[in-house]
Amino acid sequence: MNKILLFIVLHITLFSFGYTPRQAQVYKTIEQNNRRQDFKTSIVEIHKIIHNSKSTDLDKYEAYYLKYVVYKRLYNFSEAKDNLDLAQGYADKTIHRESLRNKYQLELLLIQVELRNYKGVADKYSDLQSIKTLELDRVDQALLKFLEAVVLVETSSGNAKQALKLVDESIEVLQEFYPEYVSVVLRLKIKIYTLLNQYNTAYKIYEQDIYLAKNYNTISYEIDLYRSMVEYYKEIGDYGKSLEYSRLVLDQVTLYNATEKSTELKLIEKQLNEEENLLLLHKKERDFYIMIAILVLLLIGVYYLVLVFKRRKRAVKQIEKQNSQMQLDIKQLQDKLKGIDIKSYSRLSKRQKQIVDLVQKGKTNKEIGETLFISENTVKYHLKIIYEILQIKGKADLLK
């Protein structure tokens, strides 16, 4: 339960910022990988989030924040700071930029603590004052109390009693929501009791602290505890024990080899980026060929439309030509049939119209018969019917 609460608090209450259960599970998995010292898997998963086209600015903020945590655990604080800056860059694009900017300022001070640069925190006391005026969640409030305790210890007018009170209040909250960071806070408590010459109490706190560091597999914190004990034994004049812990620090540093792990992670990141660039190059090539194909299809489509347009234009011209010819034929027919009722003329058969046409051309009955391969009497028979239909008296009327 504590781990789940830690996850939620450490990453700014994902669900309140609109995360889906799937996204939350990804971040939780990465956090679990970090606890197992499986930083390679964490880096791969973080890379997927950063380079996912569907990732929001808030997604990328969380991903870079997790990378910050990874490199901080490896004591690569320069790389950690770079990723914290990148995280804040994306945070500034979100509606949560103000609250995340406050968290950024708080993290910068906590980096100084983990670098054991307590004086650096004291020098930036004004930053603490500005953060104190802001609305903070319980964990950030607890961390802020811890930083105030650091300032009290480092200032010449330091109040050890008040510092211990702030440390205890901080630990009370962190044990519930952020237990793995209690180890860092307890280091300050060891320092305070050492300064107060309460060496037995300081050592008891060390035993409690080393248990927590081993329990949460925070080897970097464990190494720092051994460094604290080097100072502790120097303070009480037991230089033999101080040397023993110095060797322990060296052994753990050699075993943990944070520098080698950091280098390995950077190589993995480089390889992932090269693969990502290669994929982008292939995507660009594919998009280029798709664009060429689309362009060719568009050109074919345009060519086809031009052909259709030309055919349509030719068809329209042909129709217009036929209409003109029809109008001309009608005019010529009207000229030929002046004085003849067109409606009556339309009642004539094809043969009768042929005979009328030949009469108007000046042909005799005999010539008409020869032209149409019918007898002269048949021609006369047709003419009689033609006269009746057209209601005219004879050939003379056809020739008008």
Side-chain angles (χ1 to χ4, degrees):
M1 185 64 180
N2 281 342
K3 291 183 178 181
I4 295 173
L5 289 170
L6 165 63
F7 171 75
I8 293 173
V9 173
L10 184 60
H11 299 295
I12 317 144
T13 316
L14 299 179
F15 291 107
S16 69
F17 282 174
Y19 284 83
T20 64
R22 181 191 62 78
Q23 290 169 318
Q25 183 57 45
V26 170
Y27 294 126
K28 184 177 179 181
T29 300
I30 290 171
E31 213 29 59
Q32 289 171 345
N33 291 336
N34 290 346
R35 290 198 182 99
R36 292 194 298 268
Q37 306 293 322
D38 185 6
F39 300 121
K40 294 180 186 178
T41 304
S42 291
I43 288 294
V44 171
E45 291 301 320
I46 291 168
H47 181 87
K48 289 178 183 177
I49 297 169
I50 292 171
H51 293 278
N52 188 336
S53 59
K54 295 181 180 179
S55 291
T56 64
D57 289 328
L58 198 54
D59 291 331
K60 291 180 180 181
Y61 162 78
E62 281 294 329
Y64 277 113
Y65 185 88
L66 287 170
K67 270 181 71 178
Y68 154 71
V69 171
V70 167
Y71 281 106
K72 192 170 68 163
R73 287 199 175 188
L74 290 171
Y75 255 59
N76 187 340
F77 287 99
S78 62
E79 193 67 35
K81 172 65 165 52
D82 288 344
N83 281 284
L84 184 62
D85 290 342
L86 287 170
Q88 189 55 42
Y90 283 102
D92 287 340
K93 300 176 184 179
T94 72
I95 60 174
H96 310 288
R97 53 185 170 273
E98 292 301 326
S99 61
L100 294 180
R101 171 62 62 177
N102 300 336
K103 186 172 183 63
Y104 172 76
Q105 295 296 335
L106 191 60
E107 290 294 341
L108 290 179
L109 293 172
L110 291 173
I111 286 175
Q112 295 304 313
V113 169
E114 296 199 36
L115 284 169
R116 304 172 67 81
N117 182 17
Y118 292 161
K119 187 176 184 304
V121 177
D123 291 341
K124 292 183 176 292
Y125 184 69
S126 58
D127 292 344
L128 287 179
Q129 293 299 98
S130 63
I131 295 173
K132 281 173 66 176
T133 63
L134 304 169
E135 290 186 8
L136 300 171
D137 60 35
R138 289 189 66 193
V139 170
D140 286 345
Q141 287 175 2
L143 291 172
L144 191 57
K145 286 182 178 180
F146 163 56
L147 291 172
E148 286 186 75
V150 170
V151 173
L152 284 174
V153 171
E154 289 300 317
T155 55
S156 56
S157 58
N159 186 330
K161 186 176 180 181
Q162 178 61 19
L164 284 173
K165 180 176 180 295
L166 289 171
V167 166
D168 288 338
E169 289 175 358
S170 174
I171 289 173
E172 185 178 355
V173 175
L174 294 177
Q175 280 178 332
E176 182 178 359
F177 296 105
Y178 196 179
E180 66 182 43
Y181 203 78
V182 171
S183 178
V184 178
V185 181
L186 285 174
R187 286 209 309 267
L188 179 63
K189 205 168 182 180
I190 294 171
K191 181 179 178 69
I192 295 171
Y193 279 113
T194 301
L195 292 173
L196 292 173
N197 298 324
Q198 296 183 28
Y199 302 117
N200 289 337
T201 304
Y203 188 79
K204 287 178 182 178
I205 294 170
Y206 158 74
E207 290 180 325
Q208 176 189 354
D209 206 353
I210 197 69
Y211 170 79
L212 287 173
K214 290 180 180 294
N215 185 52
Y216 288 102
N217 202 23
T218 48
I219 298 176
S220 56
Y221 295 167
E222 187 178 336
I223 293 170
D224 260 353
L225 274 172
Y226 293 145
R227 287 187 176 125
S228 294
M229 295 311 292
V230 170
E231 296 173 4
Y232 165 80
Y233 280 112
K234 279 184 181 178
E235 185 70 23
I236 65 175
D238 191 341
Y239 296 103
K241 277 284 187 180
S242 178
L243 180 61
E244 182 182 327
Y245 274 92
S246 295
R247 289 171 181 162
L248 194 55
V249 168
L250 181 61
D251 289 344
Q252 286 295 97
V253 168
T254 304
L255 182 65
Y256 188 46
N257 205 340
T259 303
E260 183 180 323
K261 290 179 187 292
S262 290
T263 303
E264 190 176 6
L265 290 186
K266 290 302 295 178
L267 287 174
I268 290 173
E269 283 198 73
K270 182 180 178 182
Q271 182 181 348
L272 289 171
N273 287 329
E274 288 174 353
E275 290 173 359
E276 189 69 30
N277 290 335
L278 189 60
L279 286 174
L280 286 174
L281 180 61
H282 288 163
K283 184 178 183 299
K284 286 181 180 178
E285 289 178 351
R286 183 189 66 196
D287 292 345
F288 173 75
Y289 289 123
I290 289 174
M291 287 298 295
I292 292 295
I294 291 172
L295 183 60
V296 169
L297 289 174
L298 284 173
L299 290 174
I300 292 172
V302 170
Y303 177 72
Y304 175 75
L305 289 174
V306 170
L307 286 180
V308 170
F309 176 76
K310 286 183 176 180
R311 287 176 185 172
R312 183 182 178 84
K313 191 174 181 180
R314 285 198 297 268
V316 169
K317 285 185 177 180
Q318 186 67 25
I319 291 170
E320 289 175 349
K321 185 178 180 181
Q322 290 173 355
N323 287 339
S324 298
Q325 186 61 46
M326 285 175 64
Q327 290 174 358
L328 182 62
D329 291 343
I330 290 170
K331 188 176 183 305
Q332 289 175 348
L333 181 60
Q334 287 174 339
D335 291 342
K336 289 179 181 180
L337 300 175
K338 284 179 180 179
I340 298 175
D341 182 46
I342 297 298
K343 186 175 181 181
S344 299
Y345 178 79
S346 65
R347 290 165 55 197
L348 298 177
S349 68
K350 184 179 179 181
R351 176 68 76 189
Q352 290 166 345
K353 289 178 181 178
Q354 288 174 337
I355 291 171
V356 170
D357 185 55
L358 290 171
V359 168
Q360 290 177 336
K361 289 178 180 179
K363 301 289 185 179
T364 65
N365 289 350
K366 184 178 180 180
E367 288 172 339
I368 291 171
E370 290 174 352
T371 300
L372 299 177
F373 302 102
I374 57 177
S375 67
E376 191 175 345
N377 287 333
T378 303
V379 173
K380 291 178 180 179
Y381 172 75
H382 280 301
L383 282 170
K384 182 181 178 182
I385 295 172
I386 290 169
Y387 300 154
E388 290 176 357
I389 293 172
L390 298 179
Q391 297 178 356
I392 59 176
K393 294 178 180 180
K395 280 187 178 181
D397 292 328
L398 289 174
L399 295 171
K400 288 181 180 180

mmCIF file of all heavy atoms in Angstrom, residues 111-130:
data_model
loop_
_atom_site.group_PDB
_atom_site.id
_atom_site.type_symbol
_atom_site.label_atom_id
_atom_site.label_comp_id
_atom_site.label_asym_id
_atom_site.label_seq_id
_atom_site.Cartn_x
_atom_site.Cartn_y
_atom_site.Cartn_z
ATOM 1 N N ILE A 111 18.345 18.121 -4.653
ATOM 2 C CA ILE A 111 19.573 17.651 -5.308
ATOM 3 C C ILE A 111 20.792 18.080 -4.488
ATOM 4 O O ILE A 111 21.734 17.300 -4.282
ATOM 5 C CB ILE A 111 19.669 18.205 -6.750
ATOM 6 C CG1 ILE A 111 18.680 17.483 -7.674
ATOM 7 C CG2 ILE A 111 21.093 18.026 -7.303
ATOM 8 C CD1 ILE A 111 18.634 18.045 -9.087
ATOM 9 N N GLN A 112 20.768 19.323 -3.999
ATOM 10 C CA GLN A 112 21.878 19.807 -3.179
ATOM 11 C C GLN A 112 22.028 18.982 -1.900
ATOM 12 O O GLN A 112 23.141 18.700 -1.456
ATOM 13 C CB GLN A 112 21.669 21.292 -2.823
ATOM 14 C CG GLN A 112 21.696 22.225 -4.016
ATOM 15 C CD GLN A 112 22.983 22.099 -4.804
ATOM 16 O OE1 GLN A 112 24.089 22.094 -4.232
ATOM 17 N NE2 GLN A 112 22.858 21.997 -6.117
ATOM 18 N N VAL A 113 20.881 18.571 -1.339
ATOM 19 C CA VAL A 113 20.919 17.723 -0.141
ATOM 20 C C VAL A 113 21.585 16.392 -0.461
ATOM 21 O O VAL A 113 22.448 15.906 0.283
ATOM 22 C CB VAL A 113 19.491 17.489 0.401
ATOM 23 C CG1 VAL A 113 19.501 16.398 1.465
ATOM 24 C CG2 VAL A 113 18.936 18.773 0.982
ATOM 25 N N GLU A 114 21.187 15.786 -1.581
ATOM 26 C CA GLU A 114 21.738 14.466 -1.922
ATOM 27 C C GLU A 114 23.199 14.566 -2.323
ATOM 28 O O GLU A 114 23.931 13.572 -2.279
ATOM 29 C CB GLU A 114 20.894 13.819 -3.027
ATOM 30 C CG GLU A 114 19.470 13.535 -2.546
ATOM 31 C CD GLU A 114 18.747 12.522 -3.397
ATOM 32 O OE1 GLU A 114 19.396 11.578 -3.867
ATOM 33 O OE2 GLU A 114 17.536 12.678 -3.582
ATOM 34 N N LEU A 115 23.622 15.758 -2.716
ATOM 35 C CA LEU A 115 25.042 15.978 -2.970
ATOM 36 C C LEU A 115 25.789 16.285 -1.668
ATOM 37 O O LEU A 115 26.983 16.585 -1.688
ATOM 38 C CB LEU A 115 25.225 17.149 -3.954
ATOM 39 C CG LEU A 115 24.918 16.847 -5.426
ATOM 40 C CD1 LEU A 115 24.876 18.126 -6.230
ATOM 41 C CD2 LEU A 115 25.962 15.896 -5.995
ATOM 42 N N ARG A 116 25.033 16.261 -0.542
ATOM 43 C CA ARG A 116 25.561 16.551 0.789
ATOM 44 C C ARG A 116 26.042 18.003 0.880
ATOM 45 O O ARG A 116 26.876 18.358 1.723
ATOM 46 C CB ARG A 116 26.696 15.589 1.151
ATOM 47 C CG ARG A 116 26.299 14.131 1.068
ATOM 48 C CD ARG A 116 27.484 13.203 1.249
ATOM 49 N NE ARG A 116 28.019 13.267 2.593
ATOM 50 C CZ ARG A 116 27.509 12.615 3.643
ATOM 51 N NH1 ARG A 116 26.447 11.849 3.498
ATOM 52 N NH2 ARG A 116 28.051 12.738 4.842
ATOM 53 N N ASN A 117 25.484 18.824 0.009
ATOM 54 C CA ASN A 117 25.828 20.246 0.009
ATOM 55 C C ASN A 117 24.787 21.004 0.835
ATOM 56 O O ASN A 117 24.003 21.804 0.321
ATOM 57 C CB ASN A 117 25.867 20.771 -1.432
ATOM 58 C CG ASN A 117 26.273 22.231 -1.502
ATOM 59 O OD1 ASN A 117 26.821 22.782 -0.544
ATOM 60 N ND2 ASN A 117 25.987 22.863 -2.630
ATOM 61 N N TYR A 118 24.768 20.743 2.143
ATOM 62 C CA TYR A 118 23.809 21.388 3.030
ATOM 63 C C TYR A 118 23.975 22.911 3.028
ATOM 64 O O TYR A 118 23.011 23.663 3.121
ATOM 65 C CB TYR A 118 23.961 20.859 4.453
ATOM 66 C CG TYR A 118 23.556 19.410 4.622
ATOM 67 C CD1 TYR A 118 23.992 18.667 5.720
ATOM 68 C CD2 TYR A 118 22.724 18.784 3.691
ATOM 69 C CE1 TYR A 118 23.609 17.337 5.886
ATOM 70 C CE2 TYR A 118 22.353 17.468 3.855
ATOM 71 C CZ TYR A 118 22.790 16.737 4.941
ATOM 72 O OH TYR A 118 22.406 15.434 5.093
ATOM 73 N N LYS A 119 25.223 23.328 2.889
ATOM 74 C CA LYS A 119 25.476 24.766 2.877
ATOM 75 C C LYS A 119 24.814 25.406 1.649
ATOM 76 O O LYS A 119 24.313 26.528 1.702
ATOM 77 C CB LYS A 119 26.979 25.033 2.866
ATOM 78 C CG LYS A 119 27.326 26.510 3.021
ATOM 79 C CD LYS A 119 28.825 26.711 3.104
ATOM 80 C CE LYS A 119 29.156 28.168 3.360
ATOM 81 N NZ LYS A 119 28.590 29.090 2.378
ATOM 82 N N GLY A 120 24.824 24.681 0.534
ATOM 83 C CA GLY A 120 24.194 25.188 -0.687
ATOM 84 C C GLY A 120 22.713 25.437 -0.492
ATOM 85 O O GLY A 120 22.155 26.398 -1.021
ATOM 86 N N VAL A 121 22.062 24.567 0.306
ATOM 87 C CA VAL A 121 20.641 24.754 0.608
ATOM 88 C C VAL A 121 20.457 25.984 1.481
ATOM 89 O O VAL A 121 19.549 26.794 1.261
ATOM 90 C CB VAL A 121 20.059 23.510 1.315
ATOM 91 C CG1 VAL A 121 18.604 23.742 1.698
ATOM 92 C CG2 VAL A 121 20.184 22.280 0.417
ATOM 93 N N ALA A 122 21.332 26.125 2.462
ATOM 94 C CA ALA A 122 21.240 27.282 3.361
ATOM 95 C C ALA A 122 21.427 28.588 2.590
ATOM 96 O O ALA A 122 20.770 29.593 2.864
ATOM 97 C CB ALA A 122 22.287 27.161 4.468
ATOM 98 N N ASP A 123 22.326 28.559 1.588
ATOM 99 C CA ASP A 123 22.571 29.765 0.782
ATOM 100 C C ASP A 123 21.342 30.146 -0.048
ATOM 101 O O ASP A 123 21.196 31.304 -0.441
ATOM 102 C CB ASP A 123 23.768 29.549 -0.145
ATOM 103 C CG ASP A 123 25.074 29.460 0.632
ATOM 104 O OD1 ASP A 123 25.094 29.919 1.801
ATOM 105 O OD2 ASP A 123 26.058 28.925 0.091
ATOM 106 N N LYS A 124 20.498 29.166 -0.330
ATOM 107 C CA LYS A 124 19.307 29.424 -1.145
ATOM 108 C C LYS A 124 18.050 29.502 -0.264
ATOM 109 O O LYS A 124 16.965 29.121 -0.679
ATOM 110 C CB LYS A 124 19.145 28.325 -2.197
ATOM 111 C CG LYS A 124 20.229 28.339 -3.271
ATOM 112 C CD LYS A 124 19.978 27.280 -4.316
ATOM 113 C CE LYS A 124 21.012 27.367 -5.418
ATOM 114 N NZ LYS A 124 20.885 28.582 -6.222
ATOM 115 N N TYR A 125 18.247 29.971 0.963
ATOM 116 C CA TYR A 125 17.130 30.047 1.906
ATOM 117 C C TYR A 125 15.981 30.901 1.367
ATOM 118 O O TYR A 125 14.807 30.630 1.636
ATOM 119 C CB TYR A 125 17.618 30.614 3.245
ATOM 120 C CG TYR A 125 16.551 30.624 4.304
ATOM 121 C CD1 TYR A 125 16.079 29.422 4.838
ATOM 122 C CD2 TYR A 125 16.007 31.818 4.764
ATOM 123 C CE1 TYR A 125 15.094 29.421 5.808
ATOM 124 C CE2 TYR A 125 15.018 31.822 5.734
ATOM 125 C CZ TYR A 125 14.565 30.625 6.254
ATOM 126 O OH TYR A 125 13.577 30.621 7.208
ATOM 127 N N SER A 126 16.295 31.923 0.578
ATOM 128 C CA SER A 126 15.244 32.782 0.013
ATOM 129 C C SER A 126 14.304 31.983 -0.881
ATOM 130 O O SER A 126 13.099 32.258 -0.934
ATOM 131 C CB SER A 126 15.866 33.925 -0.797
ATOM 132 O OG SER A 126 16.684 33.402 -1.833
ATOM 133 N N ASP A 127 14.853 30.972 -1.575
ATOM 134 C CA ASP A 127 14.007 30.102 -2.407
ATOM 135 C C ASP A 127 13.025 29.333 -1.540
ATOM 136 O O ASP A 127 11.872 29.131 -1.918
ATOM 137 C CB ASP A 127 14.871 29.121 -3.206
ATOM 138 C CG ASP A 127 15.704 29.830 -4.262
ATOM 139 O OD1 ASP A 127 15.389 30.991 -4.570
ATOM 140 O OD2 ASP A 127 16.652 29.218 -4.782
ATOM 141 N N LEU A 128 13.491 28.915 -0.377
ATOM 142 C CA LEU A 128 12.605 28.189 0.539
ATOM 143 C C LEU A 128 11.457 29.084 0.979
ATOM 144 O O LEU A 128 10.307 28.650 1.081
ATOM 145 C CB LEU A 128 13.381 27.728 1.773
ATOM 146 C CG LEU A 128 14.356 26.559 1.606
ATOM 147 C CD1 LEU A 128 15.046 26.267 2.940
ATOM 148 C CD2 LEU A 128 13.627 25.326 1.135
ATOM 149 N N GLN A 129 11.766 30.334 1.232
ATOM 150 C CA GLN A 129 10.738 31.254 1.695
ATOM 151 C C GLN A 129 9.646 31.462 0.643
ATOM 152 O O GLN A 129 8.465 31.544 0.961
ATOM 153 C CB GLN A 129 11.375 32.620 2.036
ATOM 154 C CG GLN A 129 12.309 32.561 3.233
ATOM 155 C CD GLN A 129 11.582 32.111 4.499
ATOM 156 O OE1 GLN A 129 11.629 30.946 4.869
ATOM 157 N NE2 GLN A 129 10.887 33.036 5.153
ATOM 158 N N SER A 130 10.048 31.531 -0.623
ATOM 159 C CA SER A 130 9.059 31.720 -1.688
ATOM 160 C C SER A 130 8.208 30.471 -1.861
ATOM 161 O O SER A 130 7.010 30.550 -2.131
ATOM 162 C CB SER A 130 9.761 32.068 -3.009
ATOM 163 O OG SER A 130 10.601 30.992 -3.422
#
